[in-house]
Amino acid sequence: MTSDSDSRALGAFLKARRAQLTPRECGLPETDSARRVAGLRREEAAQLAAISVDYYTRLEQGRVRASVPVLTTLARALRLDDDQKYLYDLAGRADAHPPRRRPAQRLRPAMRRLLDQLTETPALVLGERLDILAWNPAATALYTDFAALPANRRNYLRLLFTHPVVRQLHQDWAHDARDAVAALRMEAAGNPDDPDLAQLVGELSLQDPDFRTWWAEHRVNSASYGTKHYRHHLVGDLTLDCDTWTSPDGSGQRLMILTAEPASPSHDALRILTSWTTRQPSNDRSQDPTR
């Protein structure tokens, strides 16, 4: 059982660690307002860990015992991947073992073959947390150059909220973004202790008030098809059917395909758009040595 001294030691450590970090290091936007204290604010640390500010405050004050899942998300939020055991010891959880890092998501060979064969159809492979594992040249032409993004930033939801080009592409951004949040909420129900998920939710909660509102709604969405309305800066308006096919092997990988009605203006515009993209092999995030 934890003692008062354990709780105080944990609180002091959290406060000290928070002071050592900057918003930029944690992927948060810099603000123009002057900071009264160095490092992250309590509100920022709490949001990154996907816990309430009141609960985080009580942790720093030594007035509450941290659960193992909370310690896990705090370790991720405060960039303590190499010091998780120390954090557990401070909290009086020496008997608990920090979760091992999950192996990098690997693209299934069948998915790669499908991407290579889809030459005029934008397609993405989505993994856990809506991470973008791979894409074809047509998807690059429609969305953005995924290869130019850091591997750990290639996430469909993150791009939808934070990437200006991807955000502006959606004519009905609020509808599409809210549906994507609901899809992530559906996935979170099956893996609530995923520290990477907690970090993603924390970052987006701090950066976007709409995300905070929609995440708090607890709305879920398991729809595998729908219609997307885009306005591309090169070819204009596109109305595309979006279908998502789940891999039958239990990996959770999903192939997202965007198609247009044959002989429609959107079909012609999509063919023009993809014809401007030179053919190249699809990319796989799992090949990145930093992941």
Side-chain angles (χ1 to χ4, degrees), residues 20-76:
Q20 296 169 1
L21 297 172
T22 66
R24 183 183 298 275
E25 288 177 295
C26 298
L28 303 177
E30 298 282 0
T31 60
D32 296 331
S33 59
R35 290 178 175 261
R36 292 182 298 175
V37 296
L40 296 178
R41 298 186 176 99
R42 279 179 175 169
E43 293 81 0
E44 292 168 334
Q47 291 278 13
L48 285 171
I51 59 178
S52 71
V53 178
D54 177 67
Y55 184 71
Y56 180 83
T57 300
R58 285 185 287 150
L59 281 173
E60 280 201 357
Q61 295 174 344
R63 295 191 292 119
V64 66
R65 187 187 189 196
S67 66
V68 172
V70 166
L71 290 172
T72 301
T73 57
L74 280 172
R76 291 287 293 174

Side-chain angles (χ1 to χ4, degrees), residues 166-193:
V166 175
R167 183 167 179 145
Q168 293 171 13
L169 175 68
H170 293 75
Q171 289 195 50
D172 193 353
W173 176 85
H175 174 273
D176 294 345
R178 190 165 177 252
D179 274 355
V181 171
L184 187 67
R185 174 61 84 174
M186 184 81 176
E187 182 176 329
N191 195 13
D193 298 330

Side-chain angles (χ1 to χ4, degrees), residues 139-156:
T140 296
L142 177 63
Y143 288 106
T144 190
D145 184 3
F146 298 106
L149 301 173
N152 61 0
R153 310 304 291 180
R154 295 176 199 148
N155 176 275
Y156 184 79

Side-chain angles (χ1 to χ4, degrees), residues 24 44 212 229 256:
R24 183 183 298 275
E44 292 168 334
R212 286 197 300 273
H229 300 281
M256 175 177 155

Side-chain angles (χ1 to χ4, degrees), residues 55-268:
Y55 184 71
Y56 180 83
T57 300
R58 285 185 287 150
L59 281 173
E60 280 201 357
Q61 295 174 344
R63 295 191 292 119
V64 66
R65 187 187 189 196
S67 66
V68 172
V70 166
L71 290 172
T72 301
T73 57
L74 280 172
R76 291 287 293 174
L78 299 178
R79 300 300 193 264
L80 293 170
D81 288 348
D82 296 331
D83 298 311
Q84 283 197 47
K85 186 178 185 305
Y86 179 65
L87 188 68
Y88 279 60
D89 290 343
L90 279 180
R93 300 281 189 174
D95 58 329
H97 300 285
R100 296 178 179 177
R101 288 190 65 87
R102 302 175 74 173
Q105 301 177 74
R106 299 286 178 178
L107 183 66
R108 294 186 64 242
M111 289 290 198
R112 182 184 295 281
R113 289 193 296 271
L114 280 172
L115 285 176
D116 291 341
Q117 293 170 23
L118 294 170
T119 58
E120 296 182 355
T121 302
L124 302 169
V125 176
L126 303 176
E128 297 171 346
R129 300 171 296 276
L130 305 183
D131 287 347
I132 299 172
L133 304 185
W135 57 93
N136 65 0
T140 296
L142 177 63
Y143 288 106
T144 190
D145 184 3
F146 298 106
L149 301 173
N152 61 0
R153 310 304 291 180
R154 295 176 199 148
N155 176 275
Y156 184 79
L157 194 65
R158 180 182 276 117
L159 295 179
L160 198 55
F161 277 89
T162 66
H163 194 290
V165 173
V166 175
R167 183 167 179 145
Q168 293 171 13
L169 175 68
H170 293 75
Q171 289 195 50
D172 193 353
W173 176 85
H175 174 273
D176 294 345
R178 190 165 177 252
D179 274 355
V181 171
L184 187 67
R185 174 61 84 174
M186 184 81 176
E187 182 176 329
N191 195 13
D193 298 330
D194 179 4
D196 292 317
L197 174 64
Q199 182 180 6
L200 175 64
V201 171
E203 288 180 11
L204 294 179
S205 294
L206 281 172
Q207 294 178 25
D208 195 285
D210 287 325
F211 179 87
R212 286 197 300 273
T213 299
W214 295 332
W215 185 257
E217 290 176 347
H218 287 263
R219 175 174 171 262
V220 295
N221 178 21
S222 60
S224 58
Y225 61 92
T227 302
K228 303 288 188 185
H229 300 281
Y230 295 129
R231 179 161 293 155
H232 196 276
H233 68 284
L234 292 177
V235 296
D237 292 351
L238 294 163
T239 298
L240 304 178
D241 291 324
C242 180
D243 292 272
T244 304
W245 308 91
T246 301
S247 173
D249 69 344
S251 66
Q253 292 183 14
R254 287 151 288 177
L255 179 66
M256 175 177 155
I257 303 177
L258 295 147
T259 59
E261 183 72 23
S264 67
S266 292
H267 183 261
D268 294 339

